[in-house]
Amino acid sequence: MDIVDLSTLPEQDSRYDEFLRQVCDKYEMDHAAYAGMNPAAGTIHGHVTYGDDWKVHYQEQGLHLIDPTLHMSQRSIAPVDWSRLERGKDFQRVFRDAHDFGIPDQGITIPVRGPYGDIGLLSATRECSRDEWKKLVSSVISDLQSLAVHIHDNVMTSDTISRMLYHPTLSSRELEILQWAAAGKSQQDIGDILSISHRTVEVHLRSSREKLNALTTPQAVGRAIGIGLIYPG
Amino acid sequence: MDIVDLSTLPEQDSRYDEFLRQVCDKYEMDHAAYAGMNPAAGTIHGHVTYGDDWKVHYQEQGLHLIDPTLHMSQRSIAPVDWSRLERGKDFQRVFRDAHDFGIPDQGITIPVRGPYGDIGLLSATRECSRDEWKKLVSSVISDLQSLAVHIHDNVMTSDTISRMLYHPTLSSRELEILQWAAAGKSQQDIGDILSISHRTVEVHLRSSREKLNALTTPQAVGRAIGIGLIYPG
DNA sequence: GAATCTATTGGGGGTTTCCCGTAATTTTGG
DNA sequence: CCAAAATTACGGGAAACCCCCAATAGATTC
């Protein structure tokens, strides 16, 4: 499969699970999981190849609060091999539980970040010898990195599109001006940039606020970013 | 963000230039370039394998303002093949100039995002037939993806200045007030809510802007949301 | 063809923010 | 423990923002 071609990636939620299974087959992994969240929009997506029972247990126990893989990925950009995680109290707790559900403590998590503060985590596990694991990882790490990026891109794009369907449509001019505002430009600056009067800029900002149901420009900028209409400047 | 700052931060780390050259050799590319920016810290890094003359021309002409590769990468997360860029006015302008400096219009740009709003772009070019290029890209895309992450991670963490500002730590009070600002409250409102003077609120907003390297409150709000410090209200 | 939406510009005026200070107490960190 | 940072507070003046109003032109829609 051509990894670059986004069209080959599944578009429907139900197919992500199947896709992860294919990843496992291709890269000789036992299990794979993807978790994506867009804090700005408040949406969360999760897909796993292991049964839903672990998913349920994970949520019920609130393991996401102490999960060291999440903790690590939060401020990391490079892939994190679970063997490098600190063997602390939280680690013991999460991975002891995981073990009961047939999930080994040998795995890797690849964090991906999008333009709107969205974070995606692609994890893969395999039960085997240490040497075997090391060898496997080094041979597939690049491919997994690419896959992580593309699956996250796919999920977030469809997420954004679906969200935008229920949100106001700002005119291109309004978006343009709001984008400049998010970039720290004053109304006068924007007017100069676009070669229009600063009063016109103010009108567009006002209608943007009205459409976004925002009281102030900062709120409008925040909402627009949350919806995915613009990006942080 | 303003890339004009490039001139004020003449970062010359020959290690990365050499590294890029090795990338070219290994992956049969003509040229490679890396550009990294941390808006919160206001730092910018640039490394290229082609001569400095293009770099100079690029800055002097302010091409970063219209460069379609930058524009695309800003809101993208997946690798962008230049062939998929819109052939607009800006494209013509930038790539006509680039051609004069021996840079082809056949290339790819891989964006990488860090935890604190930092963005890195790894670009590679090669002059060859279309089919040859496609084949080359699909065979090295995964490796380039990993390399992009690696370089960006390295650059962002190795730079001492950046390291200090890499993690803008807003005080709880600043976050609290910024969150209210994102919720559309005025300074007076926030002062009433927190039972403090609206002038104190203004002080916190100011220091928040400084820490986030934002010129205006809307920009600070957007940036904080982008980094994940606060949420849209 | 009329109505609607969008983009544009303008005036007037009140409100808000922002920048320049100073300065106290409390908290935090090396 | 001392230094640094955070938090609190005040004020004046300049700048920016925001809201009311009205008006013209183009594009789209009904």
Side-chain angles (χ1 to χ4, degrees), chain A residues 4 6 149-150 153, chain B residues 73 76-81 109-111 113 145:
Chain A
V4 187
L6 294 177
V149 168
H150 288 108
D153 188 40
Chain B
S73 306
S76 171
I77 163 177
V80 178
D81 194 310
T109 294
I110 300 172
R113 252 163 263 275
Q145 179 86 59

Side-chain angles (χ1 to χ4, degrees), chain B residues 171 173 196-197 199 204 211:
Chain B
S171 72
R173 200 59 156 178
I196 59 177
S197 165
R199 325 210 72 129
H204 289 302
K211 286 182 179 178

